[in-house]
Amino acid sequence: MERAAMAASKQQMASAFSSLARKSPVAAVVVALALVLALLGSWIWSSVQPVDSASAGSSSSAPSLSSVAAFDGALEEAVVTHVTDGDTIKARLPDGTVNYVRLVGIDTPESVAEDQSRNCEEGVIASNYTKSLVSVGQIIWLQRDVSETDRYGRWLRYVWLEKPDDPTSKDEIASKMLNAILVREGYAQVKHYSPDTTLYNFFKTLGDEAIAEGKGVTRKWA
């Protein structure tokens, strides 16, 4: 019955529209445009209605790190093959690749520069301190910040003396990462080498404390 009623209603509307078109074509056009706009408005309204969050599911943003590092780069195991000076070592990867490793974010005084005038007592002291922490055959873990190598082709890395449970932990960075230990104990100066600056602020805090306490060879740059 409903379908028959709807069909009859449509026929009546069509007949009325045809009659209107014969009597006033302009009025018929206006009515037709009004119907089109009404249908279009109804479609737009339905498409912009808010989706029920319960049915669509909620999206949660990634939690911000409560610790110092904004990165969690993969740790790569390596074996030390040589200790050059305070901030440079040489290491071998499991695949046999060997290269120099420049500790990122820090700089120690020179001790083995070709230009002898750049070498200094503080550089020798810093180099000896690094050698007291790192030795040939020792297993270390390398972690990259942004850059792969420097202009000399050396790997730019954070060097972990112990594998951390959480590489973003301030305590673990300060106690297990060679870069941080050298700064904390006053044997390395903090450097802002862009773009590898993830730990710069934390290193700066450690470095300022070392200077205030007169640790290591901080007299060289304090």
Side-chain angles (χ1 to χ4, degrees), residues 39-61:
L39 290 172
L40 181 61
S42 177
W43 176 80
I44 293 175
W45 176 256
S46 64
S47 65
V48 298
Q49 289 301 297
V51 178
D52 183 7
S53 60
S55 61
S58 59
S59 60
S60 58
S61 57

Short mmCIF file of all heavy atoms in Angstrom, two decimals, residues 39-61:
data_model
loop_
_atom_site.label_atom_id
_atom_site.label_comp_id
_atom_site.label_asym_id
_atom_site.label_seq_id
_atom_site.Cartn_x
_atom_site.Cartn_y
_atom_site.Cartn_z
N LEU A 39 18.36 18.92 -2.07
CA LEU A 39 19.01 17.61 -2.07
C LEU A 39 20.50 17.73 -1.80
O LEU A 39 21.09 16.94 -1.04
CB LEU A 39 18.76 16.91 -3.41
CG LEU A 39 17.32 16.45 -3.68
CD1 LEU A 39 17.19 15.96 -5.12
CD2 LEU A 39 16.91 15.35 -2.70
N LEU A 40 21.15 18.74 -2.43
CA LEU A 40 22.59 18.93 -2.23
C LEU A 40 22.91 19.29 -0.79
O LEU A 40 23.86 18.80 -0.19
CB LEU A 40 23.09 20.03 -3.18
CG LEU A 40 24.59 20.35 -3.12
CD1 LEU A 40 25.40 19.11 -3.50
CD2 LEU A 40 24.93 21.51 -4.05
N GLY A 41 22.08 20.18 -0.21
CA GLY A 41 22.29 20.56 1.18
C GLY A 41 22.15 19.39 2.13
O GLY A 41 22.90 19.25 3.09
N SER A 42 21.19 18.53 1.85
CA SER A 42 20.99 17.34 2.69
C SER A 42 22.20 16.42 2.64
O SER A 42 22.65 15.88 3.65
CB SER A 42 19.74 16.61 2.23
OG SER A 42 19.57 15.41 2.98
N TRP A 43 22.79 16.26 1.44
CA TRP A 43 23.97 15.38 1.29
C TRP A 43 25.18 15.94 2.02
O TRP A 43 25.90 15.23 2.70
CB TRP A 43 24.27 15.22 -0.20
CG TRP A 43 25.51 14.41 -0.44
CD1 TRP A 43 25.63 13.07 -0.40
CD2 TRP A 43 26.81 14.93 -0.73
NE1 TRP A 43 26.93 12.69 -0.66
CE2 TRP A 43 27.67 13.82 -0.87
CE3 TRP A 43 27.32 16.21 -0.91
CZ2 TRP A 43 29.01 13.96 -1.16
CZ3 TRP A 43 28.67 16.35 -1.20
CH2 TRP A 43 29.50 15.24 -1.32
N ILE A 44 25.41 17.26 1.89
CA ILE A 44 26.55 17.89 2.57
C ILE A 44 26.41 17.77 4.07
O ILE A 44 27.35 17.47 4.79
CB ILE A 44 26.67 19.38 2.15
CG1 ILE A 44 27.04 19.48 0.67
CG2 ILE A 44 27.68 20.11 3.01
CD1 ILE A 44 27.05 20.89 0.14
N TRP A 45 25.21 17.99 4.59
CA TRP A 45 24.98 17.92 6.03
C TRP A 45 25.29 16.53 6.58
O TRP A 45 25.93 16.38 7.61
CB TRP A 45 23.54 18.29 6.32
CG TRP A 45 23.17 18.14 7.77
CD1 TRP A 45 22.44 17.15 8.34
CD2 TRP A 45 23.56 19.00 8.86
NE1 TRP A 45 22.32 17.34 9.68
CE2 TRP A 45 23.01 18.47 10.04
CE3 TRP A 45 24.31 20.18 8.93
CZ2 TRP A 45 23.18 19.06 11.27
CZ3 TRP A 45 24.47 20.77 10.18
CH2 TRP A 45 23.93 20.22 11.32
N SER A 46 24.87 15.52 5.85
CA SER A 46 25.12 14.15 6.32
C SER A 46 26.58 13.78 6.28
O SER A 46 27.07 12.98 7.07
CB SER A 46 24.30 13.15 5.48
OG SER A 46 24.73 13.18 4.12
N SER A 47 27.33 14.37 5.35
CA SER A 47 28.75 14.02 5.20
C SER A 47 29.64 14.67 6.23
O SER A 47 30.75 14.21 6.47
CB SER A 47 29.24 14.39 3.79
OG SER A 47 29.21 15.80 3.62
N VAL A 48 29.18 15.77 6.85
CA VAL A 48 30.03 16.47 7.82
C VAL A 48 29.63 16.20 9.25
O VAL A 48 30.16 16.79 10.17
CB VAL A 48 30.01 18.01 7.56
CG1 VAL A 48 30.54 18.32 6.20
CG2 VAL A 48 28.59 18.57 7.74
N GLN A 49 28.69 15.32 9.48
CA GLN A 49 28.28 15.01 10.84
C GLN A 49 29.42 14.33 11.59
O GLN A 49 30.14 13.50 11.03
CB GLN A 49 27.04 14.09 10.83
CG GLN A 49 25.77 14.78 10.38
CD GLN A 49 25.43 15.95 11.28
OE1 GLN A 49 25.19 15.77 12.47
NE2 GLN A 49 25.45 17.15 10.73
N PRO A 50 29.67 14.67 12.87
CA PRO A 50 30.77 14.07 13.64
C PRO A 50 30.59 12.57 13.79
O PRO A 50 29.48 12.08 13.94
CB PRO A 50 30.68 14.79 15.01
CG PRO A 50 29.26 15.26 15.11
CD PRO A 50 28.87 15.60 13.69
N VAL A 51 31.70 11.86 13.73
CA VAL A 51 31.67 10.40 13.89
C VAL A 51 31.76 10.05 15.35
O VAL A 51 32.55 10.63 16.10
CB VAL A 51 32.86 9.77 13.12
CG1 VAL A 51 32.86 8.27 13.31
CG2 VAL A 51 32.78 10.15 11.65
N ASP A 52 30.98 9.15 15.76
CA ASP A 52 31.00 8.70 17.14
C ASP A 52 32.35 8.10 17.47
O ASP A 52 32.79 7.13 16.86
CB ASP A 52 29.89 7.66 17.33
CG ASP A 52 29.79 7.20 18.78
OD1 ASP A 52 30.48 7.78 19.64
OD2 ASP A 52 29.02 6.26 19.03
N SER A 53 33.04 8.72 18.44
CA SER A 53 34.40 8.27 18.77
C SER A 53 34.40 6.84 19.27
O SER A 53 35.38 6.12 19.13
CB SER A 53 35.01 9.19 19.83
OG SER A 53 34.22 9.16 21.01
N ALA A 54 33.30 6.41 19.87
CA ALA A 54 33.26 5.04 20.39
C ALA A 54 33.27 4.03 19.27
O ALA A 54 33.87 2.96 19.36
CB ALA A 54 32.00 4.85 21.24
N SER A 55 32.59 4.39 18.14
CA SER A 55 32.54 3.45 17.02
C SER A 55 33.75 3.58 16.12
O SER A 55 34.18 2.62 15.50
CB SER A 55 31.26 3.70 16.20
OG SER A 55 31.26 5.02 15.67
N ALA A 56 34.30 4.79 16.01
CA ALA A 56 35.44 5.00 15.12
C ALA A 56 36.75 4.59 15.76
O ALA A 56 37.73 4.35 15.09
CB ALA A 56 35.52 6.47 14.71
N GLY A 57 36.80 4.56 17.08
CA GLY A 57 38.04 4.22 17.77
C GLY A 57 38.80 5.49 18.06
O GLY A 57 38.76 6.44 17.29
N SER A 58 39.49 5.55 19.17
CA SER A 58 40.23 6.76 19.54
C SER A 58 41.67 6.62 19.16
O SER A 58 42.26 5.55 19.25
CB SER A 58 40.10 6.99 21.06
OG SER A 58 40.62 5.88 21.76
N SER A 59 42.28 7.73 18.70
CA SER A 59 43.70 7.72 18.34
C SER A 59 44.47 8.42 19.43
O SER A 59 44.16 9.54 19.80
CB SER A 59 43.90 8.47 17.00
OG SER A 59 43.47 9.80 17.12
N SER A 60 45.48 7.75 19.95
CA SER A 60 46.29 8.33 21.01
C SER A 60 47.64 8.72 20.46
O SER A 60 48.25 8.00 19.71
CB SER A 60 46.45 7.32 22.15
OG SER A 60 47.05 6.14 21.66
N SER A 61 48.12 9.90 20.86
CA SER A 61 49.42 10.37 20.40
C SER A 61 50.50 9.59 21.13
O SER A 61 50.30 9.12 22.25
CB SER A 61 49.57 11.87 20.68
OG SER A 61 49.39 12.13 22.06
#
